[in-house]
Amino acid sequence: YKRLLSYSNVKLISINTDQFKLIDKSKGVVSVCGTPSWEAAVREKPSLSFGRAWYHGCKSIFVINSVEDSINAINKIKNGFKPEKKDIERYVAALEKVSFETETLNPFDKDYSISEDSERTASEFYNVNKKFYENKLAVDK
């Protein structure tokens, strides 16, 4: 932390600070692969993500894999890039389309069975994939 504070353009913010206020006042958000990148995009703030996250299919979030990716993203942000609300809405709709609802068991319940819980989730994944690929094959024909 001392090294970070030695830079004149770096400030450490209290962990108790409201993250949405920080996002709203920011020019953009950078995250390894956490929720702040998604929260920023939803709030129409540019965000860069350096890890692998569930939201990487969303075109309004910059996925950074190289120094060149970082430079390109920062230049686009400097030139006024803002996440598109329609893109965020399309991404959420796509997630909803391929998602499924399942009951997860309580691991603190005396009757909890990790194999039963895993089997139920795997079965749901199988059913969703089967439905998706059957529909895709029908459309492709």
Side-chain angles (χ1 to χ4, degrees):
Y1 291 112
K2 287 180 184 177
R3 184 172 175 199
L4 284 173
L5 288 171
S6 72
Y7 297 103
S8 62
N9 60 348
V10 172
K11 292 182 183 179
L12 292 183
I13 306 296
S14 167
I15 196 164
N16 297 319
T17 305
D18 182 326
Q19 75 267 20
F20 297 116
K21 285 183 182 176
L22 289 173
I23 291 169
D24 291 342
K25 293 186 180 279
S26 73
K27 291 184 181 181
V29 171
V30 176
S31 174
V32 172
C33 68
T35 306
S37 284
W38 177 252
E39 291 171 343
V42 167
R43 297 173 86 80
E44 299 180 54
K45 289 287 186 169
S47 62
L48 288 73
S49 181
F50 284 84
R52 291 280 159 229
W54 61 268
Y55 50 74
H56 278 187
C58 183
K59 295 177 185 173
S60 286
I61 297 174
F62 293 104
V63 177
I64 308 301
N65 293 308
S66 66
V67 172
E68 186 179 338
D69 289 345
S70 299
I71 292 168
N72 290 336
I74 290 168
N75 284 333
K76 286 179 181 178
I77 293 168
K78 283 181 178 179
N79 289 322
F81 171 85
K82 298 280 184 210
E84 294 181 30
K85 196 163 195 78
K86 290 278 187 206
D87 179 50
I88 305 296
E89 290 169 356
R90 280 191 301 266
Y91 189 74
V92 170
L95 282 178
E96 186 175 43
K97 188 174 183 178
V98 298
S99 296
F100 59 88
E101 193 172 322
T102 185
E103 178 185 344
T104 57
L105 302 174
N106 182 350
F108 299 107
D109 188 339
K110 64 181 173 115
D111 296 326
Y112 175 76
S113 164
I114 193 165
S115 62
E116 182 183 341
D117 205 19
S118 298
E119 189 174 312
R120 181 185 331 206
T121 302
S123 175
E124 289 298 330
F125 272 119
Y126 173 79
N127 291 334
V128 167
N129 278 299
K130 182 178 176 188
K131 182 176 156 186
F132 173 79
Y133 286 107
E134 284 175 353
N135 289 340
K136 181 166 178 35
L137 289 172
V139 169
D140 289 345
K141 286 184 179 180

